[in-house]
Structures are given as C-alpha cells and as structure tokens.
Amino acid sequence: MIVTVDLPSTLNAGPAAHHDRAWQHDDEDSGRGLLKLDDLTAEVSQLVVARLVSKDFGAWADTLARVGNCVRPVRLRGTSERIDPATGEVLSSFSSSDHPLGVVHVRCGNRRASECPSCSRLYAADMFHLIRAGVTGGKTVPESVADHPLLFATLTAPSFGRVHTSGRCHPGDLNRRCPHGRPLACGLVHAEGVEGRRSAVLLGQPLCPDCYDYASHVVWQWFAPDLWRRFTIALHRGLAHHLGIPAHALPEVATVQYAKVAEFQRRGAVHFHALIRLDGPRSPSGVTDPPGAVTADVLATLVTQAASTVHLHVPAVDDQDVPRRLVFGRQLDVRVVRSHRPDDDQALTAAQVAGYLAKYSTKTASDDVATSTAHHRRLQATIADLNLRAQVATLATGRSPYELLGHWGRMLGFRGHFATKSRRYSITLGQLRRARQRAQARIAASRASGTPLDLASLEADLLADEEETTLVIGRWSYLGSGWADEGETALAAAAAARAREYAQEKAAARQHTSPR
C-alpha cells in the first residue's frame, strides 16, 4: 500500500538545508512526499495505521526525526547531569521521563546498508568527507595535499581456481577437461541485464567446484589484513631504498598515508581499494611537502613492486593441512588521482574516488555477493570444517591462529575492518561526529533565536579539539533496540527511503543548475 504521511520534523527541509553538507546529514534527511509501504502483511498494515492515528503520533514523529529515520534505534531510560568540576554546581540535568515518549532513542550507528539505511548513509557521508579531505584538503587538512603524489590502487586475491567472468568467459577448446571431467573453457558471454540473466548467475562460480581450492581461499581471506600490513611495510622499505636512506630514517624524509576499504568480489574473495598519498616528514604543525624525487609515477612503480613481491608464510590448520605462502593476485591496478579534472582518461578525480570508497565502506559480504549460491555455501562449509579442525588442534597444542575462524563465517572468513586509514591521512570520524553535535546545537539555538547561522564560516571552531570544561554524570539503563513493533519499523524504513530519494533529487537539481 502507499500512505501519505505528514512528518513535519522529518520530511521538511529546514533552515539547516542551506548549511555545509558535512554537518547536517540529519537535517538533510527530508523532503515532503509519499511514503511507499509495499508488500506489507495485513497485520503490519494494521500496526502502521494504529501508529498513524495514535494520540502520541506527533511525539513519535519528532523522535523519528531526531534519530534521522534510524530503523533500529537504541532505547534508553535514565538521567544525566552536567556539573562544574571546580564548584560542583549542577549546570543542567536531563531525564528520559521528560521526553514525550518517556524513553530516549539513540541512533544505532550501524554502517551496514542492509541493517540500517539511514545510519549507513550517515556513515558513508562521513567517510566521503574524510576521504575527500585527504585528497583536496579542508576539514583541518591543508589544501597543499592536493599537489602531493596520490594513487588509487586495487589489490586483489590470487586465483584459487577458474571462475566464470564477465564478458567472453574463458574461451578455448570445450573438449579439454579437468581431472573431474568438467570443461576447462566456457565461451559464453556473461552480462548483467534481462538478456544475460541466465548466464549472469554463473558469474563468480567455479567452472569446477571440485578443482577450486576452497581451503586456501578461506586461509588467504583470514590472513588478508596481515598481508596488507606486510604490503605497507614493503612499500616503506622500497621508498627508503629509492631515496637512498635507511628504512628507520624514512619518517624524517617522507611518510606514506592511505585510506583503504575492502570489497567482496563475486567469487567471495575480498580485494582492497586504497588511496595512497606521499607526504613529507612528520611535523606537529601539519602536513609537509614530500621530496621532489618521488613523483606520482615513481610512487606508482614502488606500489606495484611492493604489491607484486610481498608474501606471507602461514602455518597449516592441522596435521592434515599444509603450510601456505600467501600473495596478492596478479590483477593489480594502480592509477594516478588528480585533485582537479584530469587531462588524460587514465587519471581519476578526487570526487570519483571519495564517492567510490565511501560507497563500499558500508558493504558486507551479503551485500556484495549472492550468498545463496552453491559456491558460497561451500565456502561456509569449508569455514565450519576448518574451524572445527582448528579447535581440535588448539586442544592438542594449546594455541592456533585459526581458533577464532568460526566467529567470522558471516564475513566469509575476512576478519579485518572494511574501512581503515593511516593516522595522518585526514581527520577522524570522531572529529566529524563531534562537529555534527556542535553544529546541531548551534542550529537549534539559531532557530530558537531567529539569528542566521553560517556553519561554513565556523568550520575550524566546530572541528577544534576542545577540552571538556564540565563533568557529565549519567545513569542509564538499556531497554532494547528497535522500534516498538513492525509497523513503526516499516514507517521508519519508508521515511529513510523517501529521505534518500529527496537527497538524490536535490543533488540532481544542483548538478543541473550548477555552471560547468
């Protein structure tokens, strides 16, 4: 069904819509229109109608607005007080009983789009600004970083067996067979869309599941974060060798900064997308210029060499397994990034890479690959088998690097963070979140007083690491997560979807009216 719902606080773009986009994601989740609630059961439909006609619907709508249409907010009950640490004076107090619903709702903060679309959009927006600041400057990062050598590198997993690929898939003699009697070639053209739908489901699936090395796939995935760490070490050593200095002296001459996200390929193996920037020596005053002897092309060569030569020796899972030498795949892509529109087709722009990395920072294995296929079910079975064998080996030896493998089955064995960065690449997510809280407080004060507010001119103040001058004492108890029933959850999800559509409409309008 389609319901017209009037949520003034949620679906109207208030004055904050004119402020800096980095600080007003919550206010941006707006736009009056129809909320589409499709495929609801009769029971959920009744719950939706009951909420719409309830006496406290206005209070509930305001609560939904405060949490930015979060579909799984955390419910808390308790009190808090702000106290002057010097005098002990209580400056202010707050109690959940003062709230119209008697309960405080807080955003779940989940970065996964499959779990909470609203909080995922907020996380992606923060990641966009974090990544872009490291490319073009801004948000306390000097604009001089735009002139530093910068690369966009993609490091993939090696081959564990032939899988169906897009385009002309493994052309060759169909009469050639593997030891299990299956063809070593395919010859089909796998493409997305209606015409290629039947062949598209084969993408990422092994030509022969029995030839595919599932155990090595899982082990590589498990140690992928360690292999990335080895890559950064190799890059630092290669850079020091190029500059003709000892590796321990490199921080006095140059530093390497990066922002990285992990993405699952169709075959269920992660690959890393990374922005890699070269800076000068560390300085307490900020980012310094890199040595002129290392251009973007030189840095690209060093990254390619490090990714091609780095390796990691890992032990066997148990006595029935074998040790392995892990490496990155041969499909390595390293491209130069420009802060402005590049003259050549090979270079990328800052907006392109920032949007790309921010998008994949909100993904999980289930978002990127179809986990219902026979291939991914076999991956899950391999993880369970290796985990059981690791547990037995742990009992015998007292320790195994694979003993926690079973905890990461949902991630297909990948135990790393989906988004990471070096310390000095740019600002932190914590700084952005504190700035948003300060901005929201000032926006509320501006609305109450009717005084215009330009947050863009206050950026440095919003991002400043101010020391706390008051003591906050809270007594809170956790009541649960999520809305009271499925009807409220459906309304929240519909409001989040409408907010996303409205933000896309605004972005399209700005792009249409902005000068070239």
Side-chain angles (χ1 to χ4, degrees), residues 223-237 306-307 309-314 326 328:
F223 284 102
D226 298 294
L227 194 59
W228 168 265
R229 184 178 62 84
R230 290 291 185 95
F231 160 74
T232 60
I233 294 173
L235 178 58
H236 281 85
R237 291 175 176 172
T309 58
V310 68
H311 61 273
L312 178 65
H313 291 280
V314 299
L326 306 182
F328 282 112

Side-chain angles (χ1 to χ4, degrees), residues 139-333:
K139 305 289 186 293
T140 73
V141 180
E143 295 182 357
S144 60
V145 298
D147 299 322
H148 293 195
L150 183 68
L151 307 174
F152 182 68
T154 299
L155 284 67
T156 64
S159 173
F160 305 107
R162 288 192 172 192
V163 298
H164 292 278
T165 59
S166 59
R168 180 69 64 179
C169 176
H170 296 293
D173 185 3
L174 294 177
N175 292 321
R176 292 182 58 206
R177 303 279 170 164
C178 72
H180 305 95
R182 296 184 177 92
L184 293 175
C186 174
L188 295 178
V189 177
H190 302 300
E192 301 286 354
V194 176
E195 295 182 357
R197 181 175 297 172
R198 294 186 62 184
S199 64
V201 298
L202 294 175
L203 286 173
Q205 308 301 300
L207 271 66
C208 177
D210 295 324
C211 288
Y212 195 87
D213 192 351
Y214 283 94
S216 293
H217 179 141
V218 172
V219 170
W220 188 93
Q221 197 108 296
W222 181 248
F223 284 102
D226 298 294
L227 194 59
W228 168 265
R229 184 178 62 84
R230 290 291 185 95
F231 160 74
T232 60
I233 294 173
L235 178 58
H236 281 85
R237 291 175 176 172
L239 179 59
H241 182 268
H242 177 80
L243 294 173
I245 59 176
H248 66 81
L250 182 62
E252 301 174 4
V253 179
T255 57
V256 177
Q257 309 299 332
Y258 69 86
K260 169 182 67 72
V261 299
E263 177 194 359
F264 276 92
Q265 297 171 304
R266 289 184 180 272
R267 57 176 171 153
V270 295
H271 57 181
F272 297 123
H273 300 292
L275 273 170
I276 302 175
R277 189 185 74 215
L278 183 67
D279 293 346
R282 295 176 181 175
S283 170
S285 59
V287 178
T288 58
D289 293 332
V294 184
T295 63
D297 292 334
V298 171
L299 183 61
T301 300
L302 295 174
V303 168
T304 302
Q305 291 175 349
S308 303
T309 58
V310 68
H311 61 273
L312 178 65
H313 291 280
V314 299
V317 176
D318 57 13
D319 294 339
Q320 305 301 317
D321 195 25
V322 295
R324 293 175 175 84
R325 180 179 181 270
L326 306 182
V327 297
F328 282 112
R330 289 180 292 180
Q331 292 181 328
L332 172 67
D333 183 31

Side-chain angles (χ1 to χ4, degrees), residues 326-355:
L326 306 182
V327 297
F328 282 112
R330 289 180 292 180
Q331 292 181 328
L332 172 67
D333 183 31
V334 181
R335 301 174 65 180
V336 177
V337 179
R338 308 295 185 192
S339 60
H340 54 280
R341 182 171 294 278
D343 298 328
D344 58 283
D345 296 334
Q346 296 300 315
L348 299 170
T349 65
Q352 285 175 320
V353 294

Side-chain angles (χ1 to χ4, degrees), residues 369-394:
V369 297
T371 55
S372 60
T373 65
H375 172 60
H376 292 97
R377 287 196 297 269
R378 189 158 176 176
L379 272 176
Q380 296 280 5
T382 302
I383 292 172
D385 176 62
L386 293 180
N387 178 64
L388 179 60
R389 291 162 56 182
Q391 296 299 321
V392 174
T394 301

Side-chain angles (χ1 to χ4, degrees), residues 124-141:
D126 284 345
M127 285 298 300
F128 176 86
H129 288 286
L130 181 152
I131 293 168
R132 185 183 177 89
V135 178
T136 62
K139 305 289 186 293
T140 73
V141 180

